[in-house]
Each structure stands twice: as C-alpha cells, then as structure tokens.
Amino acid sequence: MHNVTLIKGDGIGPSIMDAAVAVINASGAKIHWHEADAGMSAYERTGTPLPDATMESIAQTRVAFKGPLTTMVGEGFRSINVELRKQYDLYANVRPAKSWKGVKTRYDDVDIVIVRENTEGLYVGLEHYLTPAKDIAESLAVVTKAGSERIVEYAFKYAIDNDRKKVTVCHKANILKYTQGLFLRAAREIAAKYPDIEFDEKIVDAACMHMVMKPEQFDVVVTTNMFGDILSDLTAGLVGGLGLIPGANIGVDAALFEAVHGSAPDIAGKNIANPTAVMMGGVMMLNHLGEHEAAIRMQNAIEKVVNGGVYVTPDLSPDSKYGTKEMGQAIVDAME
C-alpha cells in the first residue's frame, strides 16, 4: 500500500482530480489517499495557501498528487508550486509532450520530454526595488555548478531508463556568460560521461524556432528553470495544448505529480474540464511508485478513449456531448 497526499486544488481541480483518482483506483494500484488542502480555497479558509497540516502530510508520505492551484498574480503569496519545490528540493521537473492519434494538430509524431531545473534561476524569487519610488526593479538569477550537474545527470539517466537516444541542452550562454555559461559547461562535462547518448546544444531562441519547424529532431531537452517553463508550454502547443500535458517534480526522497495547466475558474463546476493531463500525471506517479503494470493499464485506457474521440470533453472534440465525469468513467470502463 502506497501512501499519497491528495491535493484536489482550486477551480476545476476537484472535478478532474475525482476523475483521475477513480481511474487510478481502477488500475489495480494500491493507494491510500491522504487528502490535504492548498491553494486559494485554503487561503480563504485558513489565511494561508499552504497549511501546516498539508506540509506535514507531504513530509510523511513523500509523494503528492496535486490538482491545479490558483496563485495571485503580481501580489500576495508566491507560487505554491515554487514553495513546494523549494521545501522538498524537487529539483527535476519532467514534462513529456507526445502526439495523440485522436487529437488533430499540425504535427503527427512529436515525442519530446522537457527536463527543467526546478529550484534555481530567476524563479528563486530574489527580487527588489532599486529606488524608493519603486520605479526600477531587479531580479537575480542563481545558477550553481552542483544544481546544473544534477539536473543534466538526471536528464541523461532519464534518457537511458526510458530508451531515449538524444539529450539537447538549451541555454543562452552566448549572452548570459556567467549563469548560462556555468550551466552549459556543466552540461558538457556530464555529457562526456554518457558517450552512448547523442548530445546536442542549442541557444534557447533558436531551439524555439527549430521546435516549430522540425520538432522530430528533439528527444530529451534539459534546460534552466525559466527556459524550461517556456519550452514546456511550447511543446504542449505542438501536441494539442496544456490539457494533455502532465508534470512530475522529482527530488531525492520526495515527488509531486500534477497537470501543468491552471485552475480555470471560469469553467469550474461545468463538467467540461479535460482530465487527461492530470491522469497522465497519475501514470507518471504510478511508475515512480513501482506500479508499472497499473501504469501501463491506465495509460492504455486513457489513450484508447482520447484516440477514440467519442467519450471526450469538448476541447478535444467540439461536437462532444460528454464531460469530465463521462470521460473518466469511459476510461475506467476501458481498463483491461
């Protein structure tokens, strides 16, 4: 029995998480769910977006399955995701983007995994104003050799474990010669340890162009925090949008799995939110827990329903009359 902290989240979170939990339970995996609270809803009830009880639960289970959380923009508390990554040193963010046969896009054979450094860069939040009038602001990026080495090492090990052939490092070392230069040098040193994996370097703006022109040239992409955030949304667009993209946040002894899209409060309670992304996050979680047979069973069922194009939410098929609950039940029914 695996103990997992369950955070349903805000907006569409509860509905898509209920569907995902039902599918995970039907997969045969042995999960004991510990429900906890976080996000705007928790803030309104308790005065904090991340209650102590939630942190204590994650500290005990070391695995969290999380729905989307609402974060105030430009004021108030910082991102809860950032805080969780910092608290549990979840240094590797993994976001796979793969084409679906049942989702029509401009591309047919995209299969890219973004491995993003999760704890450094501009997202450390070292910001301040330089004048009393607050008309000049400064942000500081932090890049360390140790942090760079371990994320690149993770990317190469991921490639080996998942039968991938190539790792591309994306950087801006041509301009940011200290921070990005340090990251690139560390990547080159680590790459030398893995001669059987092809290694490639791309400046991040050029990488964006190449991804939309010829995405098949990319396999595993490793990069710094903010660039990874941007590139993972780009790759999501190649395969049908954020509603299909899961995310894993991995540390040495803790992990958090989620969808990468937002809480979409405008469609909360309407039974039209697509649960695919968070369900695929559940597949990643099952693999992390060693429940590989259950993960395969769950992924096959999700692919069968999405590729079938019938029992899916309207964002996947505009003529669909089915919603979140019906799609979840169809996936449960498709489980073999």
Side-chain angles (χ1 to χ4, degrees):
M1 183 69 68
H2 305 283
N3 292 297
V4 176
T5 297
L6 174 66
I7 301 172
K8 292 188 176 180
D10 299 315
I12 61 173
S15 63
I16 62 173
M17 292 299 283
D18 284 345
V21 167
V23 172
I24 292 171
N25 289 342
S27 73
K30 304 300 182 182
I31 306 292
H32 181 208
W33 301 103
H34 298 259
E35 190 165 347
D37 202 8
M40 188 63 72
S41 56
Y43 181 76
E44 292 171 350
R45 287 193 296 271
T46 67
T48 175
L50 204 51
D52 290 342
T54 300
M55 298 298 280
E56 291 170 4
S57 177
I58 299 173
Q60 292 177 4
T61 65
R62 312 307 293 183
V63 179
F65 187 44
K66 183 183 75 62
L69 304 176
T70 299
T71 296
M72 296 167 66
V73 177
E75 58 179 320
F77 56 85
R78 289 182 62 220
S79 166
I80 300 163
N81 279 354
V82 172
E83 183 60 32
L84 288 170
R85 293 165 187 165
K86 179 181 176 182
Q87 182 72 27
Y88 298 104
D89 197 23
L90 306 178
Y91 69 91
N93 183 269
V94 184
R95 294 184 179 182
K98 187 174 181 179
S99 297
W100 298 74
K101 293 180 181 178
V103 180
K104 186 178 180 180
T105 66
R106 296 176 183 272
Y107 307 94
D108 296 323
D109 298 309
V110 175
D111 188 1
I112 303 172
V113 178
I114 303 294
V115 177
R116 161 189 169 193
E117 203 292 317
N118 226 5
T119 63
E120 299 186 347
L122 279 170
Y123 287 7
V124 295
L126 294 177
E127 296 187 298
H128 56 270
Y129 290 105
L130 296 178
T131 63
K134 297 184 177 181
D135 57 355
I136 303 176
E138 182 177 59
S139 292
L140 302 177
V142 175
V143 175
T144 68
K145 188 172 189 291
S148 300
E149 288 175 340
R150 71 174 179 175
I151 193 62
V152 177
E153 188 92 49
Y154 182 94
F156 275 93
K157 289 181 177 178
Y158 181 95
I160 292 171
D161 292 343
N162 292 275
D163 197 28
R164 298 277 177 160
K165 307 302 181 185
K166 180 179 178 181
V167 172
T168 299
V169 60
C170 289
H171 63 90
K172 194 64 178 175
N174 57 322
I175 303 298
L176 303 172
K177 297 185 183 297
Y178 288 88
T179 51
Q180 291 290 310
L182 174 59
F183 183 78
L184 179 57
R185 289 192 300 274
R188 289 170 175 170
E189 291 174 5
I190 296 299
K193 297 166 52 179
Y194 296 90
D196 294 334
I197 301 293
E198 183 182 351
F199 177 61
D200 186 27
E201 302 173 8
K202 277 191 168 50
I203 296 172
V204 66
D205 40 323
C208 291
M209 178 187 69
H210 285 284
M211 279 187 183
V212 298
M213 291 181 66
K214 197 175 180 181
E216 64 272 16
Q217 69 183 285
F218 293 93
D219 191 350
V220 176
V221 175
V222 62
T223 189
T224 51
N225 205 335
M226 188 172 74
F227 293 159
D229 196 7
I230 295 167
L231 288 174
S232 61
D233 274 29
L234 190 157
T235 55
L238 301 179
V239 301
L242 289 175
L244 299 167
I245 303 297
N249 301 270
I250 309 295
V252 174
D253 67 346
L256 182 152
F257 300 87
E258 59 185 349
V260 302
H261 59 68
S263 58
D266 56 317
I267 62 171
K270 296 183 179 180
N271 192 40
I272 60 173
N274 181 356
T276 304
V278 78
M279 287 184 180
M280 292 303 292
V283 171
M284 296 179 79
M285 181 182 72
L286 293 184
N287 278 317
H288 174 79
L289 293 172
E291 293 277 359
H292 301 299
E293 291 184 6
I296 292 171
R297 194 176 302 117
M298 183 173 172
Q299 181 167 340
N300 288 343
I302 296 168
E303 290 178 351
K304 182 177 181 180
V305 171
V306 172
N307 292 337
V310 178
Y311 294 99
V312 295
T313 48
D315 62 305
L316 295 177
S317 177
D319 297 328
S320 175
K321 299 179 181 179
Y322 301 103
T324 311
K325 294 179 181 178
E326 293 80 10
M327 185 174 176
Q329 186 57 53
I331 293 170
V332 170
D333 293 343
M335 204 83 66
E336 296 178 356

